[in-house]
Amino acid sequence: MSTDTEKQEMLIVTGMSGAGRSTVANALEDLGWYVVDNLPPQMLRPLVELVGRAGTSLPKIAAVVDIRGRDFFGDFQELVQALRSGTQVRVIFLEARDDVLVRRFEAVRRPHPLQGEGTILDGISAERTRLAVVRESCDIVIDTSDLNIHQLATTITERFAAENAAGLHLTVMSFGFKYGLPTDVDMVADARFLPNPFWIPELRSHTGLDPEVSEYVLGQDGAREFITSYAAAVRPVLAGYQRENKRHATIAIGCTGGKHRSVAMARELAGLLQEFPGVAVSLKHRDLGRE
């Protein structure tokens, strides 16, 4: 294999059937990745060797594989480690809730690849079991439950469009605990220790994006102390991520509804983390506008 593979990157896109692999493949292709969809898993290693001969003309390769390659998933970790000896390899796992996956299969009127004589839900359950070890060892998890195909494509574009600009791309996300804990995050903080602006009549209709709410939240006892201490605490973590070649991470801050406290605190934290060397920070408000 050519030594040029040291400059190449490979993405293995996998995850739950119906979670959006084809959408991710199309988005990566639009970004200039060489994408091989529905690749037989046994061909992953030969693909890397073949493309290696192309040198820098094909620096970014993405291979989409699914549960139908059963033998591959049994030796997944060993294969990825072998590939990493000569190529930068990352694994994207696409996730979605059971009810969302069922609706998607019903919408296209296609059976789940593992349901056999059972139901779609039976197939989903079997797939989750088989992919459990893969999910635990992947580099990036994206939950597509609340994303349409355009939003998922945008998510991929934001993650991979300008990766060379920073060693770590960090997303700071606000969310509401009432809508569920985000599944695709690395660290979670809780802003519910602060008084809730919802109970202040003149602030209730505003959000953490508004100055009056932000000033109220950050003016509470312990608010700024928490943010500065939390930023200091995660600094060695983010540095460690970069040493371990982890290119993407997400920190989520939650409050009850994801409208006031978490939004204001996430904005403040993002501003502090943006100053860290080698870290590019983006801000996302998952539940803003839901109430």
Side-chain angles (χ1 to χ4, degrees), residues 45 75-87 89 137:
R45 196 191 303 268
D75 301 321
F76 178 78
Q77 291 173 305
E78 292 80 2
L79 179 56
V80 171
Q81 283 301 114
L83 292 174
R84 281 176 172 157
S85 63
T87 305
V89 178
S137 60

Side-chain angles (χ1 to χ4, degrees), residues 66-257:
D66 61 32
I67 193 61
R68 286 170 290 187
R70 299 178 187 180
D71 294 339
F72 159 71
F73 288 108
D75 301 321
F76 178 78
Q77 291 173 305
E78 292 80 2
L79 179 56
V80 171
Q81 283 301 114
L83 292 174
R84 281 176 172 157
S85 63
T87 305
Q88 297 180 49
V89 178
R90 285 174 290 167
V91 183
I92 300 177
F93 191 97
L94 301 177
E95 175 67 278
R97 298 190 304 270
D98 286 0
D99 61 308
V100 173
L101 294 175
V102 169
R103 287 200 303 271
R104 290 175 182 173
F105 275 104
E106 289 178 341
V108 297
R109 300 183 180 180
R110 292 181 60 85
H112 187 281
L114 295 186
Q115 75 179 76
E117 298 300 320
T119 65
I120 293 174
L121 197 56
D122 291 333
I124 292 171
S125 178
E127 186 174 30
R128 284 201 189 282
T129 299
R130 293 185 183 180
L131 293 182
V133 66
V134 178
R135 191 184 190 285
E136 291 175 1
S137 60
C138 67
D139 301 291
I140 302 170
V141 177
I142 300 177
D143 189 332
T144 70
S145 298
D146 299 315
L147 302 178
N148 59 38
I149 59 174
H150 305 294
Q151 292 168 329
L152 176 56
T154 298
T155 297
I156 294 300
T157 299
E158 290 174 347
R159 283 180 177 267
F160 294 101
E163 285 202 327
N164 293 332
L168 176 68
H169 291 259
L170 178 68
T171 300
V172 178
M173 175 195 300
S174 69
F175 74 96
F177 279 97
K178 66 188 290 185
Y179 299 113
L181 194 68
T183 59
D184 53 342
V185 299
D186 299 281
M187 292 170 276
V188 177
D190 189 348
R192 292 176 297 183
F193 70 94
L194 298 170
N196 192 346
F198 178 84
W199 302 112
I200 309 297
E202 57 269 27
L203 298 180
R204 179 175 300 178
S205 62
H206 295 278
T207 75
L209 299 177
D210 296 315
E212 53 265 54
V213 173
S214 179
E215 291 170 5
Y216 174 84
V217 171
L218 295 172
Q220 299 301 312
D221 290 343
R224 291 191 182 276
E225 179 185 359
F226 172 80
I227 288 296
T228 54
S229 298
Y230 192 78
V234 302
R235 183 167 192 152
V237 177
L238 301 183
Y241 283 167
Q242 295 183 68
R243 288 193 300 269
E244 295 298 316
N245 295 314
K246 182 177 173 67
R247 301 289 294 275
H248 299 275
T250 302
I251 296 175
I253 300 182
C255 63
T256 303

